[in-house]
Amino acid sequence: MEHYRKSSHCTYDIKYHLVWITKYRKLVITEKIALRTRELIRIVYQSNEVEILARNVGSDHIHLLVSVPPHLSASKLVQYIKGNTSRKLQMEYKELNRQFWGQHLWARGHFVASSGNVTDEIIKEYIKNQDMQERSNSDNFEIG
């Protein structure tokens, strides 16, 4: 239970593996742009109560493993990050404007996979066992 996070009305452990790429897979996230990208991502996460568990900023893509609060969907989180970083990086680094017309630094879409401590099989077994336990504790009350 030490890995669970808490809010005022919820205890949770929601993790996402997120990946997105630069438009045209251009190798532009290097040196100072890479450092600034990390910084901008960290700012977005702090304002949304997201915890970074692992990250890799490649020259043409971003990989993140994050823990998120239950009110924040993966797609909304990626939208915040891609929008903020694209706008600010292109304002600060004019060389990006020459390569990415239309103010689109990132390619459309992203990859997301949920991550957790248990597999689908364990959850199915737990639910199945809960059903058996409830039946043995109830007075033969069944829904059917």
Side-chain angles (χ1 to χ4, degrees):
M1 191 139 165
E2 64 275 354
H3 299 292
Y4 291 141
R5 295 177 62 193
K6 295 180 183 226
S7 64
S8 59
H9 299 286
C10 185
T11 301
Y12 60 93
D13 183 24
I14 302 170
K15 296 179 188 131
Y16 295 128
H17 174 206
L18 304 170
V19 183
W20 65 92
I21 61 173
T22 59
K23 195 161 189 155
Y24 315 116
R25 292 294 297 233
K26 290 195 176 194
L27 307 173
V28 295
I29 309 172
T30 57
E31 301 167 6
K32 61 185 179 184
I33 295 175
L35 292 173
R36 183 64 175 144
T37 302
R38 285 187 196 114
E39 191 177 301
L40 292 170
I41 289 171
R42 198 174 304 120
I43 291 168
V44 171
Y45 280 179
Q46 287 172 347
S47 65
N48 288 289
E49 301 172 25
V50 174
E51 184 179 318
I52 300 172
L53 304 175
R55 75 169 178 265
N56 182 353
V57 176
S59 57
D60 68 346
H61 67 281
I62 307 286
H63 273 275
L64 298 168
L65 177 63
V66 295
S67 173
V68 300
H71 63 82
L72 186 59
S73 70
S75 60
K76 191 54 89 172
L77 179 60
V78 172
Q79 179 185 351
Y80 292 156
I81 297 167
K82 287 171 69 173
N84 261 330
T85 56
S86 179
R87 184 172 34 79
K88 289 183 179 173
L89 288 172
Q90 288 190 38
M91 283 185 343
E92 295 173 18
Y93 301 99
K94 296 302 178 190
E95 63 266 25
L96 293 176
N97 286 338
R98 289 188 287 276
Q99 295 186 49
F100 300 100
W101 52 90
Q103 298 183 341
H104 298 287
L105 172 63
W106 306 113
R108 293 180 72 180
H110 61 278
F111 166 82
V112 62
S114 60
S115 169
N117 296 331
V118 295
T119 63
D120 292 345
E121 290 77 28
I122 292 173
I123 294 171
K124 288 176 185 176
E125 188 66 29
Y126 176 79
I127 291 171
K128 181 179 158 187
N129 289 338
Q130 289 298 309
D131 189 37
M132 297 293 202
Q133 185 179 358
E134 286 179 16
R135 285 183 188 169
S136 67
N137 290 341
S138 68
D139 295 334
N140 292 329
F141 178 77
E142 291 186 25
I143 299 175

